[in-house]
Amino acid sequence: MNINLTLIGQMITFVIFVWFTRKYVWAPIITALEGRKEKIADGLAAAEKGKHELELAENRAVEALKESKVKAQEFIAQAQKRADEIVEEAKGNARSEGERIVTAAQAQAEQEMSEAKEKLRKEVGLLAIAGTEQILMREVDASAHKDVLEKLGAQL
Amino acid sequence: MSTETITSSEYIKHHLTNLTFGQHADGHWGFAHSMEEAKEMGFWAINVDSMFWSILVGGLFVWFFSRVAKRATEGIPGGFQNFVESIVDFVNESVRDSFSGKNDLVAPLALTIFVWVFLMNLMDLIPVDVIPWITQKLHIAHFMKVVPSTDPNVTFGMAIGVFLLTLYYSIKIKGVGGFAGELTMQPFEAKNPIVKLLLVPVNFFLEFVSLIAKPISLSLRLFGNMYAGEMIFILIAIMYSAGWAMGLFGGALQFVWAVFHILIITLQAFIFMTLTIVYMDMAHTDH
């Protein structure tokens, strides 16, 4: 219980331990702790950033979807319009074509009719002339009258 | 220890005697064989047991902590690293709370004190007779005080170390004049230079006492607590020689006191550390 050299010995030991702790215990552990703190902070910041980016991407996706929907609507409307137009056009074409065909047919029929009429007229004329000739010949030759009529009758 | 052949007071005295190495009265060097012989050796003697156990537990501390520190990773810490980091973090928090200056010595100083004092105190939980019994059986030493913090040399050694550090930083931060002013210009202040001069001795007396009181209270608090705790363990141990009933009762008492003592040893280590931080803080700030 008396004060002796142990006092000095303890002081020296104390100094050595403090020096050793400072250099080989405190410094590396605090460095590791600080490093980890930084890493965690970085990780959290990265996570925050990722979250933010995800949000942005989601927004972008929604926007794109909306846009494409509108565009599709537009396309459909356009296509509808075009189809209507095509149908209208086809209808118009068909009508005019039909009219053309009808008029052409009418014209042809008329022409054929007039041709036939002409032909008939010619033949009737010829027949009349022939008949008249026969009659006239009978007047001249009574005996032959009957033959002529018969001939005419057979011809008709 | 054969308690049958010696009295209780001899038993207690035996447990309170350090293994002292020094020069005997007749001139030869050797271990003291009694408390009186140790006293006669004067200052130039050394308590081998205190030095041995304090260096042993301190060495264990720096060995273990530096081993962990060397392998410390920034990644996921393992079990040992977790343990060491929690202590380092705890000390770091304490320093940050009480120390406002800028000095990277304070935190390692606080860590050393906390763990070292705790380990020295922890030796108190080893039943008082175990290690002395082993050393006697092996004929290594007659006396063996295994709790270094029950030796005033040890607590004073640390307290004086802290005290010298506070003096050094006081003078370094505030300058010789600033430090002298702190010792002589307060707590009583005056505008008049003559009154000021008259107040110097009064102030110096008060401040010097408070300055000296710091290391003394620091070391005596730890010493007193541990010495008293050790004494109670010794008194309980005497019961073991008084029949099986008393022995059983002593065993129960020892367990209860040991559990309570866990609190005391931790608290004393913490107080020593905190006061060291506070004294260092006072050395770094003007007031």
Side-chain angles (χ1 to χ4, degrees), chain B residues 222-233:
Chain B
L222 177 61
F223 164 69
N225 272 284
M226 297 321 296
Y227 189 78
E230 174 82 343
M231 186 65 103
I232 289 172
F233 275 124

Side-chain angles (χ1 to χ4, degrees), chain B residues 94-95 97-100 106 110 162 166 214 271-285:
Chain B
S94 302
V95 172
D97 285 345
S98 339
F99 185 74
S100 51
V106 176
V162 172
T166 60
K214 283 177 196 164
I271 288 171
F272 205 110
M273 176 190 81
T274 307
L275 285 177
T276 301
I277 297 168
V278 169
Y279 293 158
M280 290 299 279
D281 181 52
M282 286 162 91
H284 283 73
T285 48

Side-chain angles (χ1 to χ4, degrees), chain B residues 37-258:
Chain B
E37 264 187 55
K39 222 163 232 160
E40 279 165 16
M41 285 173 177
F43 185 75
W44 297 106
I46 191 153
N47 295 341
V48 178
D49 48 0
S50 294
M51 287 311 298
F52 175 77
W53 291 109
S54 72
I55 290 173
L56 181 77
V57 295
L60 273 176
F61 150 61
V62 292
W63 170 75
F64 176 68
F65 271 54
S66 63
R67 212 177 69 112
V68 171
K70 208 167 155 189
R71 299 175 191 173
T73 63
E74 290 179 11
I76 300 157
F80 284 143
Q81 196 184 337
N82 242 334
F83 170 71
V84 169
E85 272 179 13
S86 63
I87 294 174
V88 168
D89 235 14
F90 164 69
V91 173
N92 208 12
E93 280 301 310
S94 302
V95 172
R96 217 174 292 159
D97 285 345
S98 339
F99 185 74
S100 51
K102 247 188 144 61
N103 189 345
D104 60 353
L105 176 69
V106 176
L109 176 74
L111 176 69
T112 311
I113 285 172
F114 179 64
V115 183
W116 196 19
V117 170
F118 175 76
L119 289 175
M120 287 196 287
N121 294 349
L122 193 66
M123 296 298 291
D124 215 358
L125 294 182
I126 299 172
V128 285
D129 277 321
V130 170
I131 292 170
W133 182 78
I134 292 169
T135 57
Q136 273 178 9
K137 284 280 166 225
L138 296 174
H139 296 287
I140 296 170
H142 185 58
F143 297 111
M144 187 51 68
K145 248 177 100 178
V146 296
V147 191
S149 46
T150 57
D151 183 347
N153 287 300
V154 169
T155 60
F156 268 105
M158 296 176 81
I160 291 170
V162 172
F163 181 60
L164 292 179
L165 275 174
T166 60
L167 285 187
Y168 170 73
Y169 282 111
S170 286
I171 292 168
K172 192 184 171 193
I173 303 288
K174 300 163 194 164
V176 179
F179 183 55
E182 209 165 72
L183 281 178
T184 53
M185 299 300 172
Q186 56 171 12
F188 300 115
E189 290 168 39
K191 289 267 184 286
N192 190 328
I194 297 161
V195 182
K196 215 176 196 174
L197 206 67
L198 281 173
L199 282 174
V200 162
V202 182
N203 282 336
F204 181 71
F205 175 72
L206 288 171
E207 282 296 313
F208 188 73
V209 167
S210 84
L211 186 74
I212 292 302
K214 283 177 196 164
I216 291 175
S217 66
L218 188 62
S219 55
L220 284 184
R221 179 181 304 106
L222 177 61
F223 164 69
N225 272 284
M226 297 321 296
Y227 189 78
E230 174 82 343
M231 186 65 103
I232 289 172
F233 275 124
I234 293 169
L235 291 177
I236 290 170
I238 290 174
M239 288 181 168
Y240 294 137
S241 59
W244 66 268
M246 279 299 270
L248 218 61
F249 179 60
L253 265 186
Q254 174 157 6
F255 175 75
V256 171
W257 181 242

Side-chain angles (χ1 to χ4, degrees), chain A residues 50-87:
Chain A
K51 217 169 136 193
H52 187 64
E53 259 163 25
L54 180 69
E55 223 165 72
L56 282 184
E58 259 169 12
N59 283 353
R60 258 202 307 266
V62 168
E63 205 93 326
L65 205 63
K66 232 189 249 168
E67 210 171 287
S68 55
K69 254 187 197 161
V70 169
K71 244 181 206 164
Q73 213 74 42
E74 251 170 43
F75 277 141
I76 289 169
Q78 251 173 18
Q80 197 74 42
K81 208 170 130 197
R82 183 85 190 107
D84 285 352
E85 269 174 18
I86 287 168
V87 168

